[in-house]
Amino acid sequence: MPTNILPPSEVPAIPARIAANRVKECFRIAEKKTKIKFRFDGVQFFSQSTDAGYVVATENNVVYLNLELFQRNTKTFLDTIIPHEVAHIVARAINPKETYHGKTWKSVMQDVFSLPPERCHTMNTKGLGRNVKHFVVS
């Protein structure tokens, strides 16, 4: 889980608004299908990572997204990454004891969002992540 959360002042307004609107829309879809009411706690962005996004469903309903990847792949985020992350929150509400990519999450991906339950993204992450120096040992 990346820890390099960007302060709101470093996040452009348009991506922030687009992402928040899509998260809210995914919650509305889930509410209709599950009859469970979800609280929207916001979207936060991080950088210097190859992860697309994450949630901490045991703590809150915040969706954390990789700003650099979001800006490069907005359509992918709107179509799959954001529903994937919201599905974690929904699955946790349905079955609090289940692991992150378990049976309930897979069911939510398929039955609520009509998406394949894929764990990992395939976006190009070249140039992202932390710079790591490689040393030659002689």
Side-chain angles (χ1 to χ4, degrees):
M1 203 177 337
T3 58
N4 38 338
I5 303 300
L6 296 169
S9 61
E10 291 183 24
V11 178
I14 292 173
R17 186 171 56 250
I18 290 170
N21 286 340
R22 180 61 172 145
V23 170
K24 290 175 189 175
E25 180 182 23
C26 287
F27 279 136
R28 282 192 298 272
I29 292 166
E31 287 172 355
K32 282 183 183 178
K33 299 260 182 151
T34 65
K35 309 297 186 220
I36 299 170
K37 180 78 173 148
F38 293 95
R39 185 183 72 250
F40 171 69
D41 291 337
V43 174
Q44 292 190 8
F45 287 90
F46 60 90
S47 64
Q48 298 178 336
S49 174
T50 57
D51 294 340
Y54 67 95
V55 298
V56 185
T58 57
E59 294 179 11
N60 56 39
N61 290 354
V62 174
V63 175
Y64 298 88
L65 301 172
N66 183 320
L67 180 60
E68 295 151 307
L69 273 178
F70 183 89
Q71 290 176 311
R72 288 185 190 179
N73 306 278
T74 302
K75 183 171 176 11
T76 300
F77 269 76
L78 298 177
D79 292 347
T80 61
I81 303 300
I82 290 174
H84 172 117
E85 299 307 336
V86 171
H88 286 299
I89 295 168
V90 174
R92 182 78 180 179
I94 294 168
N95 184 358
K97 295 181 181 181
E98 191 171 84
T99 59
Y100 267 83
H101 293 105
K103 209 181 271 190
T104 306
W105 175 82
K106 289 175 184 174
S107 175
V108 169
M109 285 294 288
Q110 293 170 327
D111 301 339
V112 173
F113 296 117
S114 301
L115 291 169
E118 297 171 345
R119 287 189 62 227
C120 300
H121 70 81
T122 58
M123 293 176 281
N124 180 354
T125 59
K126 186 173 174 119
L128 296 179
R130 299 186 189 279
N131 292 330
V132 178
K133 293 183 180 182
H134 297 277
F135 296 94
V136 176
V137 178
S138 46

